[in-house]
mmCIF file of all heavy atoms in Angstrom:
data_model
loop_
_atom_site.group_PDB
_atom_site.id
_atom_site.type_symbol
_atom_site.label_atom_id
_atom_site.label_comp_id
_atom_site.label_asym_id
_atom_site.label_seq_id
_atom_site.Cartn_x
_atom_site.Cartn_y
_atom_site.Cartn_z
ATOM 1 N N MET A 1 1.185 -15.456 31.418
ATOM 2 C CA MET A 1 1.237 -16.881 31.545
ATOM 3 C C MET A 1 1.529 -17.534 30.184
ATOM 4 O O MET A 1 2.348 -18.450 30.114
ATOM 5 C CB MET A 1 -0.133 -17.336 32.104
ATOM 6 C CG MET A 1 -0.200 -18.786 32.375
ATOM 7 S SD MET A 1 0.766 -19.078 33.839
ATOM 8 C CE MET A 1 0.279 -20.730 34.190
ATOM 9 N N TYR A 2 0.863 -17.081 29.141
ATOM 10 C CA TYR A 2 1.102 -17.648 27.802
ATOM 11 C C TYR A 2 2.539 -17.498 27.375
ATOM 12 O O TYR A 2 3.171 -18.398 26.822
ATOM 13 C CB TYR A 2 0.133 -17.027 26.774
ATOM 14 C CG TYR A 2 0.467 -17.436 25.391
ATOM 15 C CD1 TYR A 2 0.116 -18.705 24.885
ATOM 16 C CD2 TYR A 2 1.186 -16.581 24.534
ATOM 17 C CE1 TYR A 2 0.445 -19.075 23.620
ATOM 18 C CE2 TYR A 2 1.499 -16.983 23.238
ATOM 19 C CZ TYR A 2 1.107 -18.212 22.780
ATOM 20 O OH TYR A 2 1.466 -18.603 21.524
ATOM 21 N N GLY A 3 3.086 -16.289 27.567
ATOM 22 C CA GLY A 3 4.462 -16.013 27.181
ATOM 23 C C GLY A 3 5.461 -16.918 27.871
ATOM 24 O O GLY A 3 6.418 -17.381 27.269
ATOM 25 N N THR A 4 5.254 -17.141 29.154
ATOM 26 C CA THR A 4 6.148 -17.979 29.933
ATOM 27 C C THR A 4 6.100 -19.418 29.441
ATOM 28 O O THR A 4 7.156 -20.061 29.237
ATOM 29 C CB THR A 4 5.779 -17.917 31.421
ATOM 30 O OG1 THR A 4 5.862 -16.563 31.879
ATOM 31 C CG2 THR A 4 6.694 -18.810 32.256
ATOM 32 N N ILE A 5 4.908 -19.910 29.186
ATOM 33 C CA ILE A 5 4.785 -21.282 28.692
ATOM 34 C C ILE A 5 5.363 -21.426 27.308
ATOM 35 O O ILE A 5 6.017 -22.433 26.982
ATOM 36 C CB ILE A 5 3.280 -21.708 28.717
ATOM 37 C CG1 ILE A 5 2.822 -21.832 30.158
ATOM 38 C CG2 ILE A 5 3.066 -23.030 27.961
ATOM 39 C CD1 ILE A 5 1.363 -22.079 30.340
ATOM 40 N N ALA A 6 5.188 -20.408 26.434
ATOM 41 C CA ALA A 6 5.776 -20.458 25.128
ATOM 42 C C ALA A 6 7.302 -20.461 25.181
ATOM 43 O O ALA A 6 7.951 -21.207 24.426
ATOM 44 C CB ALA A 6 5.296 -19.254 24.317
ATOM 45 N N GLN A 7 7.884 -19.677 26.077
ATOM 46 C CA GLN A 7 9.339 -19.671 26.208
ATOM 47 C C GLN A 7 9.869 -21.001 26.727
ATOM 48 O O GLN A 7 10.914 -21.500 26.269
ATOM 49 C CB GLN A 7 9.771 -18.529 27.127
ATOM 50 C CG GLN A 7 9.645 -17.180 26.449
ATOM 51 C CD GLN A 7 10.169 -16.058 27.356
ATOM 52 O OE1 GLN A 7 10.564 -16.282 28.493
ATOM 53 N NE2 GLN A 7 10.120 -14.857 26.838
ATOM 54 N N ILE A 8 9.161 -21.597 27.687
ATOM 55 C CA ILE A 8 9.592 -22.896 28.219
ATOM 56 C C ILE A 8 9.471 -23.951 27.113
ATOM 57 O O ILE A 8 10.386 -24.799 26.958
ATOM 58 C CB ILE A 8 8.738 -23.275 29.438
ATOM 59 C CG1 ILE A 8 9.095 -22.364 30.600
ATOM 60 C CG2 ILE A 8 8.956 -24.743 29.815
ATOM 61 C CD1 ILE A 8 8.181 -22.490 31.788
ATOM 62 N N GLY A 9 8.407 -23.926 26.332
ATOM 63 C CA GLY A 9 8.252 -24.853 25.228
ATOM 64 C C GLY A 9 9.342 -24.697 24.183
ATOM 65 O O GLY A 9 9.902 -25.681 23.672
ATOM 66 N N ASN A 10 9.666 -23.456 23.842
ATOM 67 C CA ASN A 10 10.744 -23.199 22.884
ATOM 68 C C ASN A 10 12.103 -23.708 23.419
ATOM 69 O O ASN A 10 12.852 -24.333 22.655
ATOM 70 C CB ASN A 10 10.840 -21.713 22.575
ATOM 71 C CG ASN A 10 9.705 -21.237 21.717
ATOM 72 O OD1 ASN A 10 9.115 -22.011 20.977
ATOM 73 N ND2 ASN A 10 9.348 -19.979 21.831
ATOM 74 N N ALA A 11 12.389 -23.442 24.663
ATOM 75 C CA ALA A 11 13.644 -23.905 25.222
ATOM 76 C C ALA A 11 13.708 -25.403 25.276
ATOM 77 O O ALA A 11 14.754 -25.987 24.965
ATOM 78 C CB ALA A 11 13.826 -23.324 26.635
ATOM 79 N N ALA A 12 12.608 -26.061 25.594
ATOM 80 C CA ALA A 12 12.595 -27.531 25.675
ATOM 81 C C ALA A 12 12.786 -28.120 24.251
ATOM 82 O O ALA A 12 13.488 -29.108 24.065
ATOM 83 C CB ALA A 12 11.286 -28.019 26.284
ATOM 84 N N GLY A 13 12.175 -27.498 23.259
ATOM 85 C CA GLY A 13 12.366 -27.972 21.874
ATOM 86 C C GLY A 13 13.773 -27.825 21.389
ATOM 87 O O GLY A 13 14.319 -28.740 20.756
ATOM 88 N N VAL A 14 14.386 -26.680 21.673
ATOM 89 C CA VAL A 14 15.792 -26.480 21.263
ATOM 90 C C VAL A 14 16.681 -27.478 21.995
ATOM 91 O O VAL A 14 17.614 -28.058 21.376
ATOM 92 C CB VAL A 14 16.215 -25.012 21.558
ATOM 93 C CG1 VAL A 14 17.737 -24.867 21.418
ATOM 94 C CG2 VAL A 14 15.493 -24.091 20.626
ATOM 95 N N ALA A 15 16.425 -27.731 23.265
ATOM 96 C CA ALA A 15 17.226 -28.698 24.009
ATOM 97 C C ALA A 15 17.065 -30.093 23.435
ATOM 98 O O ALA A 15 18.080 -30.823 23.323
ATOM 99 C CB ALA A 15 16.836 -28.654 25.498
ATOM 100 N N ALA A 16 15.873 -30.496 23.102
ATOM 101 C CA ALA A 16 15.637 -31.825 22.587
ATOM 102 C C ALA A 16 16.295 -32.015 21.232
ATOM 103 O O ALA A 16 16.940 -33.047 20.975
ATOM 104 C CB ALA A 16 14.127 -32.120 22.482
ATOM 105 N N ILE A 17 16.154 -31.039 20.352
ATOM 106 C CA ILE A 17 16.793 -31.159 19.033
ATOM 107 C C ILE A 17 18.307 -31.098 19.147
ATOM 108 O O ILE A 17 19.009 -31.847 18.489
ATOM 109 C CB ILE A 17 16.251 -30.033 18.100
ATOM 110 C CG1 ILE A 17 14.761 -30.309 17.784
ATOM 111 C CG2 ILE A 17 17.054 -29.971 16.811
ATOM 112 C CD1 ILE A 17 14.071 -29.223 17.076
ATOM 113 N N GLY A 18 18.810 -30.259 20.025
ATOM 114 C CA GLY A 18 20.282 -30.221 20.252
ATOM 115 C C GLY A 18 20.818 -31.505 20.832
ATOM 116 O O GLY A 18 21.864 -32.001 20.425
ATOM 117 N N ALA A 19 20.042 -32.094 21.771
ATOM 118 C CA ALA A 19 20.491 -33.379 22.371
ATOM 119 C C ALA A 19 20.505 -34.470 21.316
ATOM 120 O O ALA A 19 21.440 -35.286 21.283
ATOM 121 C CB ALA A 19 19.559 -33.753 23.498
ATOM 122 N N ALA A 20 19.505 -34.471 20.456
ATOM 123 C CA ALA A 20 19.453 -35.492 19.389
ATOM 124 C C ALA A 20 20.658 -35.304 18.451
ATOM 125 O O ALA A 20 21.266 -36.270 18.039
ATOM 126 C CB ALA A 20 18.144 -35.409 18.597
ATOM 127 N N PHE A 21 20.914 -34.055 18.079
ATOM 128 C CA PHE A 21 22.036 -33.784 17.163
ATOM 129 C C PHE A 21 23.347 -34.294 17.768
ATOM 130 O O PHE A 21 24.116 -35.010 17.099
ATOM 131 C CB PHE A 21 22.142 -32.283 16.880
ATOM 132 C CG PHE A 21 23.397 -31.911 16.127
ATOM 133 C CD1 PHE A 21 23.491 -32.155 14.771
ATOM 134 C CD2 PHE A 21 24.504 -31.389 16.765
ATOM 135 C CE1 PHE A 21 24.639 -31.862 14.060
ATOM 136 C CE2 PHE A 21 25.638 -31.064 16.078
ATOM 137 C CZ PHE A 21 25.717 -31.308 14.702
ATOM 138 N N PHE A 22 23.627 -33.900 19.002
ATOM 139 C CA PHE A 22 24.938 -34.272 19.577
ATOM 140 C C PHE A 22 25.029 -35.764 19.890
ATOM 141 O O PHE A 22 26.115 -36.349 19.831
ATOM 142 C CB PHE A 22 25.220 -33.439 20.822
ATOM 143 C CG PHE A 22 25.594 -32.010 20.471
ATOM 144 C CD1 PHE A 22 24.712 -30.974 20.801
ATOM 145 C CD2 PHE A 22 26.739 -31.717 19.780
ATOM 146 C CE1 PHE A 22 25.045 -29.679 20.472
ATOM 147 C CE2 PHE A 22 27.055 -30.443 19.438
ATOM 148 C CZ PHE A 22 26.221 -29.380 19.795
ATOM 149 N N ALA A 23 23.916 -36.408 20.176
ATOM 150 C CA ALA A 23 23.942 -37.857 20.404
ATOM 151 C C ALA A 23 24.268 -38.587 19.129
ATOM 152 O O ALA A 23 25.098 -39.522 19.104
ATOM 153 C CB ALA A 23 22.606 -38.344 20.977
ATOM 154 N N VAL A 24 23.624 -38.198 18.015
ATOM 155 C CA VAL A 24 23.902 -38.869 16.745
ATOM 156 C C VAL A 24 25.287 -38.491 16.229
ATOM 157 O O VAL A 24 25.999 -39.339 15.679
ATOM 158 C CB VAL A 24 22.788 -38.496 15.705
ATOM 159 C CG1 VAL A 24 23.143 -38.997 14.334
ATOM 160 C CG2 VAL A 24 21.437 -39.035 16.166
ATOM 161 N N GLU A 25 25.708 -37.242 16.421
ATOM 162 C CA GLU A 25 27.020 -36.820 15.994
ATOM 163 C C GLU A 25 28.107 -37.629 16.681
ATOM 164 O O GLU A 25 29.100 -37.993 16.070
ATOM 165 C CB GLU A 25 27.213 -35.327 16.272
ATOM 166 C CG GLU A 25 28.563 -34.845 15.758
ATOM 167 C CD GLU A 25 28.919 -33.462 16.280
ATOM 168 O OE1 GLU A 25 28.486 -33.095 17.349
ATOM 169 O OE2 GLU A 25 29.652 -32.775 15.539
ATOM 170 N N ALA A 26 27.913 -37.928 17.979
ATOM 171 C CA ALA A 26 28.912 -38.682 18.701
ATOM 172 C C ALA A 26 29.026 -40.124 18.164
ATOM 173 O O ALA A 26 30.120 -40.692 18.212
ATOM 174 C CB ALA A 26 28.547 -38.705 20.192
ATOM 175 N N LEU A 27 27.903 -40.644 17.698
ATOM 176 C CA LEU A 27 27.930 -42.025 17.197
ATOM 177 C C LEU A 27 28.288 -42.138 15.726
ATOM 178 O O LEU A 27 28.890 -43.126 15.295
ATOM 179 C CB LEU A 27 26.547 -42.678 17.422
ATOM 180 C CG LEU A 27 26.131 -42.821 18.866
ATOM 181 C CD1 LEU A 27 24.712 -43.370 18.926
ATOM 182 C CD2 LEU A 27 27.069 -43.761 19.600
ATOM 183 N N GLN A 28 27.921 -41.131 14.898
ATOM 184 C CA GLN A 28 28.111 -41.218 13.489
ATOM 185 C C GLN A 28 28.873 -40.006 12.989
ATOM 186 O O GLN A 28 30.088 -39.890 13.198
ATOM 187 C CB GLN A 28 26.803 -41.381 12.763
ATOM 188 C CG GLN A 28 26.113 -42.691 13.137
ATOM 189 C CD GLN A 28 24.822 -42.868 12.404
ATOM 190 O OE1 GLN A 28 24.459 -42.095 11.543
ATOM 191 N NE2 GLN A 28 24.106 -43.929 12.757
ATOM 192 N N SER A 29 28.183 -39.056 12.375
ATOM 193 C CA SER A 29 28.828 -37.871 11.821
ATOM 194 C C SER A 29 27.938 -36.640 12.045
ATOM 195 O O SER A 29 26.781 -36.760 12.403
ATOM 196 C CB SER A 29 29.090 -38.077 10.329
ATOM 197 O OG SER A 29 27.862 -38.134 9.623
ATOM 198 N N ALA A 30 28.508 -35.473 11.746
ATOM 199 C CA ALA A 30 27.740 -34.276 11.883
ATOM 200 C C ALA A 30 26.607 -34.228 10.840
ATOM 201 O O ALA A 30 25.535 -33.705 11.144
ATOM 202 C CB ALA A 30 28.642 -33.051 11.722
ATOM 203 N N ARG A 31 26.857 -34.746 9.670
ATOM 204 C CA ARG A 31 25.817 -34.750 8.650
ATOM 205 C C ARG A 31 24.619 -35.612 9.106
ATOM 206 O O ARG A 31 23.479 -35.225 8.931
ATOM 207 C CB ARG A 31 26.362 -35.271 7.344
ATOM 208 C CG ARG A 31 25.349 -35.275 6.251
ATOM 209 C CD ARG A 31 25.894 -35.770 4.960
ATOM 210 N NE ARG A 31 24.825 -35.817 3.963
ATOM 211 C CZ ARG A 31 24.955 -35.746 2.694
ATOM 212 N NH1 ARG A 31 26.172 -35.633 2.199
ATOM 213 N NH2 ARG A 31 23.943 -35.821 1.886
ATOM 214 N N ALA A 32 24.901 -36.788 9.636
ATOM 215 C CA ALA A 32 23.829 -37.655 10.143
ATOM 216 C C ALA A 32 23.076 -36.997 11.295
ATOM 217 O O ALA A 32 21.845 -37.050 11.376
ATOM 218 C CB ALA A 32 24.387 -39.012 10.611
ATOM 219 N N GLY A 33 23.801 -36.319 12.159
ATOM 220 C CA GLY A 33 23.190 -35.598 13.245
ATOM 221 C C GLY A 33 22.294 -34.479 12.747
ATOM 222 O O GLY A 33 21.182 -34.280 13.246
ATOM 223 N N PHE A 34 22.746 -33.776 11.715
ATOM 224 C CA PHE A 34 21.918 -32.730 11.138
ATOM 225 C C PHE A 34 20.643 -33.290 10.523
ATOM 226 O O PHE A 34 19.585 -32.728 10.746
ATOM 227 C CB PHE A 34 22.711 -31.955 10.066
ATOM 228 C CG PHE A 34 21.899 -30.949 9.320
ATOM 229 C CD1 PHE A 34 21.498 -29.783 9.923
ATOM 230 C CD2 PHE A 34 21.487 -31.213 8.025
ATOM 231 C CE1 PHE A 34 20.723 -28.869 9.256
ATOM 232 C CE2 PHE A 34 20.743 -30.287 7.323
ATOM 233 C CZ PHE A 34 20.344 -29.111 7.933
ATOM 234 N N LEU A 35 20.780 -34.373 9.780
ATOM 235 C CA LEU A 35 19.590 -34.947 9.127
ATOM 236 C C LEU A 35 18.594 -35.493 10.136
ATOM 237 O O LEU A 35 17.380 -35.278 9.998
ATOM 238 C CB LEU A 35 20.026 -36.066 8.150
ATOM 239 C CG LEU A 35 20.816 -35.573 6.913
ATOM 240 C CD1 LEU A 35 21.277 -36.740 6.114
ATOM 241 C CD2 LEU A 35 20.004 -34.602 6.119
ATOM 242 N N ILE A 36 19.066 -36.093 11.193
ATOM 243 C CA ILE A 36 18.164 -36.615 12.227
ATOM 244 C C ILE A 36 17.498 -35.445 12.977
ATOM 245 O O ILE A 36 16.292 -35.463 13.220
ATOM 246 C CB ILE A 36 18.913 -37.529 13.238
ATOM 247 C CG1 ILE A 36 19.412 -38.789 12.559
ATOM 248 C CG2 ILE A 36 18.069 -37.878 14.438
ATOM 249 C CD1 ILE A 36 18.347 -39.718 12.070
ATOM 250 N N SER A 37 18.269 -34.429 13.260
ATOM 251 C CA SER A 37 17.733 -33.241 13.931
ATOM 252 C C SER A 37 16.681 -32.558 13.055
ATOM 253 O O SER A 37 15.636 -32.103 13.549
ATOM 254 C CB SER A 37 18.830 -32.262 14.275
ATOM 255 O OG SER A 37 19.742 -32.843 15.161
ATOM 256 N N LEU A 38 16.972 -32.454 11.768
ATOM 257 C CA LEU A 38 16.030 -31.843 10.811
ATOM 258 C C LEU A 38 14.748 -32.655 10.771
ATOM 259 O O LEU A 38 13.626 -32.072 10.767
ATOM 260 C CB LEU A 38 16.649 -31.731 9.455
ATOM 261 C CG LEU A 38 15.817 -31.037 8.368
ATOM 262 C CD1 LEU A 38 15.518 -29.579 8.773
ATOM 263 C CD2 LEU A 38 16.541 -31.093 7.052
ATOM 264 N N ALA A 39 14.845 -33.960 10.728
ATOM 265 C CA ALA A 39 13.661 -34.834 10.694
ATOM 266 C C ALA A 39 12.847 -34.664 11.974
ATOM 267 O O ALA A 39 11.621 -34.620 11.967
ATOM 268 C CB ALA A 39 14.053 -36.275 10.484
ATOM 269 N N LEU A 40 13.524 -34.591 13.101
ATOM 270 C CA LEU A 40 12.850 -34.385 14.376
ATOM 271 C C LEU A 40 12.139 -33.037 14.386
ATOM 272 O O LEU A 40 10.980 -32.932 14.814
ATOM 273 C CB LEU A 40 13.835 -34.467 15.528
ATOM 274 C CG LEU A 40 13.312 -34.211 16.927
ATOM 275 C CD1 LEU A 40 12.223 -35.245 17.269
ATOM 276 C CD2 LEU A 40 14.425 -34.273 17.962
ATOM 277 N N PHE A 41 12.792 -31.996 13.895
ATOM 278 C CA PHE A 41 12.209 -30.669 13.809
ATOM 279 C C PHE A 41 10.916 -30.654 12.985
ATOM 280 O O PHE A 41 9.891 -30.122 13.391
ATOM 281 C CB PHE A 41 13.236 -29.673 13.272
ATOM 282 C CG PHE A 41 12.728 -28.274 13.124
ATOM 283 C CD1 PHE A 41 12.426 -27.510 14.214
ATOM 284 C CD2 PHE A 41 12.511 -27.775 11.846
ATOM 285 C CE1 PHE A 41 11.932 -26.202 14.032
ATOM 286 C CE2 PHE A 41 12.013 -26.512 11.689
ATOM 287 C CZ PHE A 41 11.738 -25.713 12.781
ATOM 288 N N VAL A 42 11.022 -31.257 11.815
ATOM 289 C CA VAL A 42 9.872 -31.299 10.921
ATOM 290 C C VAL A 42 8.729 -32.071 11.551
ATOM 291 O O VAL A 42 7.540 -31.656 11.481
ATOM 292 C CB VAL A 42 10.249 -31.892 9.535
ATOM 293 C CG1 VAL A 42 9.044 -32.188 8.697
ATOM 294 C CG2 VAL A 42 11.195 -30.946 8.825
ATOM 295 N N THR A 43 9.038 -33.181 12.196
ATOM 296 C CA THR A 43 8.024 -33.982 12.892
ATOM 297 C C THR A 43 7.324 -33.171 13.987
ATOM 298 O O THR A 43 6.101 -33.197 14.081
ATOM 299 C CB THR A 43 8.622 -35.235 13.476
ATOM 300 O OG1 THR A 43 9.244 -35.970 12.388
ATOM 301 C CG2 THR A 43 7.592 -36.104 14.162
ATOM 302 N N LEU A 44 8.105 -32.451 14.750
ATOM 303 C CA LEU A 44 7.539 -31.656 15.841
ATOM 304 C C LEU A 44 6.658 -30.514 15.304
ATOM 305 O O LEU A 44 5.622 -30.224 15.858
ATOM 306 C CB LEU A 44 8.632 -31.113 16.757
ATOM 307 C CG LEU A 44 9.377 -32.141 17.585
ATOM 308 C CD1 LEU A 44 10.568 -31.527 18.313
ATOM 309 C CD2 LEU A 44 8.442 -32.828 18.556
ATOM 310 N N ILE A 45 7.100 -29.896 14.218
ATOM 311 C CA ILE A 45 6.285 -28.843 13.597
ATOM 312 C C ILE A 45 4.981 -29.425 13.085
ATOM 313 O O ILE A 45 3.904 -28.787 13.277
ATOM 314 C CB ILE A 45 7.066 -28.177 12.442
ATOM 315 C CG1 ILE A 45 8.230 -27.361 12.991
ATOM 316 C CG2 ILE A 45 6.179 -27.291 11.582
ATOM 317 C CD1 ILE A 45 7.847 -26.175 13.815
ATOM 318 N N MET A 46 4.966 -30.596 12.496
ATOM 319 C CA MET A 46 3.747 -31.185 12.006
ATOM 320 C C MET A 46 2.814 -31.588 13.133
ATOM 321 O O MET A 46 1.596 -31.394 13.038
ATOM 322 C CB MET A 46 4.080 -32.395 11.131
ATOM 323 C CG MET A 46 4.725 -32.039 9.819
ATOM 324 S SD MET A 46 5.308 -33.428 8.860
ATOM 325 C CE MET A 46 3.798 -34.235 8.504
ATOM 326 N N ILE A 47 3.378 -32.062 14.245
ATOM 327 C CA ILE A 47 2.543 -32.377 15.413
ATOM 328 C C ILE A 47 1.911 -31.114 15.977
ATOM 329 O O ILE A 47 0.715 -31.122 16.305
ATOM 330 C CB ILE A 47 3.382 -33.119 16.491
ATOM 331 C CG1 ILE A 47 3.733 -34.516 16.008
ATOM 332 C CG2 ILE A 47 2.657 -33.153 17.821
ATOM 333 C CD1 ILE A 47 4.759 -35.222 16.872
ATOM 334 N N CYS A 48 2.677 -30.040 16.066
ATOM 335 C CA CYS A 48 2.137 -28.795 16.607
ATOM 336 C C CYS A 48 1.036 -28.226 15.679
ATOM 337 O O CYS A 48 -0.001 -27.740 16.155
ATOM 338 C CB CYS A 48 3.244 -27.755 16.730
ATOM 339 S SG CYS A 48 4.348 -28.094 18.118
ATOM 340 N N ALA A 49 1.236 -28.315 14.338
ATOM 341 C CA ALA A 49 0.229 -27.830 13.424
ATOM 342 C C ALA A 49 -1.041 -28.644 13.542
ATOM 343 O O ALA A 49 -2.153 -28.100 13.540
ATOM 344 C CB ALA A 49 0.769 -27.900 12.009
ATOM 345 N N ALA A 50 -0.938 -29.948 13.677
ATOM 346 C CA ALA A 50 -2.128 -30.809 13.850
ATOM 347 C C ALA A 50 -2.821 -30.469 15.144
ATOM 348 O O ALA A 50 -4.083 -30.418 15.186
ATOM 349 C CB ALA A 50 -1.721 -32.261 13.814
ATOM 350 N N PHE A 51 -2.091 -30.281 16.226
ATOM 351 C CA PHE A 51 -2.679 -29.940 17.513
ATOM 352 C C PHE A 51 -3.402 -28.595 17.457
ATOM 353 O O PHE A 51 -4.517 -28.425 17.962
ATOM 354 C CB PHE A 51 -1.624 -29.938 18.596
ATOM 355 C CG PHE A 51 -2.154 -29.620 19.975
ATOM 356 C CD1 PHE A 51 -2.988 -30.485 20.631
ATOM 357 C CD2 PHE A 51 -1.838 -28.420 20.594
ATOM 358 C CE1 PHE A 51 -3.495 -30.231 21.862
ATOM 359 C CE2 PHE A 51 -2.326 -28.102 21.835
ATOM 360 C CZ PHE A 51 -3.162 -29.030 22.478
ATOM 361 N N LEU A 52 -2.792 -27.618 16.802
ATOM 362 C CA LEU A 52 -3.423 -26.294 16.713
ATOM 363 C C LEU A 52 -4.683 -26.345 15.847
ATOM 364 O O LEU A 52 -5.675 -25.686 16.157
ATOM 365 C CB LEU A 52 -2.447 -25.279 16.133
ATOM 366 C CG LEU A 52 -1.313 -24.872 17.087
ATOM 367 C CD1 LEU A 52 -0.286 -24.001 16.343
ATOM 368 C CD2 LEU A 52 -1.868 -24.158 18.277
ATOM 369 N N ALA A 53 -4.665 -27.154 14.779
ATOM 370 C CA ALA A 53 -5.875 -27.334 13.967
ATOM 371 C C ALA A 53 -6.981 -27.980 14.763
ATOM 372 O O ALA A 53 -8.161 -27.594 14.681
ATOM 373 C CB ALA A 53 -5.540 -28.165 12.726
ATOM 374 N N TRP A 54 -6.642 -28.961 15.578
ATOM 375 C CA TRP A 54 -7.601 -29.646 16.429
ATOM 376 C C TRP A 54 -8.199 -28.648 17.431
ATOM 377 O O TRP A 54 -9.376 -28.630 17.674
ATOM 378 C CB TRP A 54 -6.962 -30.806 17.117
ATOM 379 C CG TRP A 54 -7.861 -31.481 18.120
ATOM 380 C CD1 TRP A 54 -8.882 -32.337 17.848
ATOM 381 C CD2 TRP A 54 -7.811 -31.298 19.540
ATOM 382 N NE1 TRP A 54 -9.460 -32.710 19.035
ATOM 383 C CE2 TRP A 54 -8.835 -32.102 20.094
ATOM 384 C CE3 TRP A 54 -6.987 -30.553 20.409
ATOM 385 C CZ2 TRP A 54 -9.071 -32.184 21.456
ATOM 386 C CZ3 TRP A 54 -7.242 -30.648 21.756
ATOM 387 C CH2 TRP A 54 -8.249 -31.437 22.276
ATOM 388 N N MET A 55 -7.318 -27.832 18.029
ATOM 389 C CA MET A 55 -7.791 -26.826 18.993
ATOM 390 C C MET A 55 -8.722 -25.796 18.343
ATOM 391 O O MET A 55 -9.725 -25.411 18.927
ATOM 392 C CB MET A 55 -6.601 -26.084 19.648
ATOM 393 C CG MET A 55 -5.861 -26.913 20.636
ATOM 394 S SD MET A 55 -4.481 -26.036 21.392
ATOM 395 C CE MET A 55 -5.234 -24.568 22.006
ATOM 396 N N ARG A 56 -8.432 -25.402 17.122
ATOM 397 C CA ARG A 56 -9.259 -24.463 16.405
ATOM 398 C C ARG A 56 -10.667 -25.052 16.133
ATOM 399 O O ARG A 56 -11.660 -24.385 16.329
ATOM 400 C CB ARG A 56 -8.607 -24.029 15.112
ATOM 401 C CG ARG A 56 -9.503 -23.100 14.275
ATOM 402 C CD ARG A 56 -8.799 -22.572 13.098
ATOM 403 N NE ARG A 56 -8.196 -21.318 13.529
ATOM 404 C CZ ARG A 56 -7.443 -20.606 12.759
ATOM 405 N NH1 ARG A 56 -7.146 -20.982 11.544
ATOM 406 N NH2 ARG A 56 -6.919 -19.464 13.196
ATOM 407 N N ARG A 57 -10.715 -26.315 15.702
ATOM 408 C CA ARG A 57 -11.974 -26.962 15.482
ATOM 409 C C ARG A 57 -12.769 -27.153 16.800
ATOM 410 O O ARG A 57 -13.971 -26.950 16.819
ATOM 411 C CB ARG A 57 -11.781 -28.319 14.813
ATOM 412 C CG ARG A 57 -11.491 -28.265 13.352
ATOM 413 C CD ARG A 57 -11.578 -29.618 12.699
ATOM 414 N NE ARG A 57 -10.684 -30.590 13.309
ATOM 415 C CZ ARG A 57 -9.493 -30.923 12.886
ATOM 416 N NH1 ARG A 57 -9.024 -30.349 11.799
ATOM 417 N NH2 ARG A 57 -8.799 -31.814 13.496
ATOM 418 N N ALA A 58 -12.064 -27.459 17.869
ATOM 419 C CA ALA A 58 -12.732 -27.662 19.146
ATOM 420 C C ALA A 58 -13.319 -26.348 19.658
ATOM 421 O O ALA A 58 -14.415 -26.335 20.212
ATOM 422 C CB ALA A 58 -11.745 -28.278 20.179
ATOM 423 N N SER A 59 -12.616 -25.260 19.472
ATOM 424 C CA SER A 59 -13.106 -23.966 19.968
ATOM 425 C C SER A 59 -14.217 -23.424 19.084
ATOM 426 O O SER A 59 -15.086 -22.734 19.569
ATOM 427 C CB SER A 59 -11.971 -22.950 20.081
ATOM 428 O OG SER A 59 -11.508 -22.578 18.784
ATOM 429 N N ALA A 60 -14.248 -23.797 17.818
ATOM 430 C CA ALA A 60 -15.305 -23.380 16.905
ATOM 431 C C ALA A 60 -16.602 -24.082 17.231
ATOM 432 O O ALA A 60 -17.694 -23.496 17.045
ATOM 433 C CB ALA A 60 -14.911 -23.654 15.470
ATOM 434 N N ARG A 61 -16.544 -25.306 17.740
ATOM 435 C CA ARG A 61 -17.745 -26.050 18.122
ATOM 436 C C ARG A 61 -18.342 -25.503 19.391
ATOM 437 O O ARG A 61 -19.511 -25.694 19.657
ATOM 438 C CB ARG A 61 -17.456 -27.496 18.280
ATOM 439 C CG ARG A 61 -17.305 -28.233 16.954
ATOM 440 C CD ARG A 61 -17.137 -29.700 17.187
ATOM 441 N NE ARG A 61 -15.717 -29.993 16.919
ATOM 442 C CZ ARG A 61 -15.030 -30.998 17.403
ATOM 443 N NH1 ARG A 61 -15.621 -31.852 18.197
ATOM 444 N NH2 ARG A 61 -13.790 -31.187 17.084
ATOM 445 N N SER A 62 -17.561 -24.879 20.218
ATOM 446 C CA SER A 62 -18.065 -24.428 21.532
ATOM 447 C C SER A 62 -18.852 -23.156 21.435
ATOM 448 O O SER A 62 -18.752 -22.345 20.634
ATOM 449 C CB SER A 62 -16.908 -24.122 22.473
ATOM 450 O OG SER A 62 -16.107 -25.250 22.605
#
């Protein structure tokens, strides 16, 4: 179950970042698309790290 959910999450993340890249690239340039995609990637990584830290603290209290 965990593996399946992880694969779905990875695929959804790649799709979201790819969609952002191609949307910005169509309106501006490939460089702008790359920078926006990179910013989105970093933001998502930080959100995941914060969520995992919260989960670790919650499980330690239990």
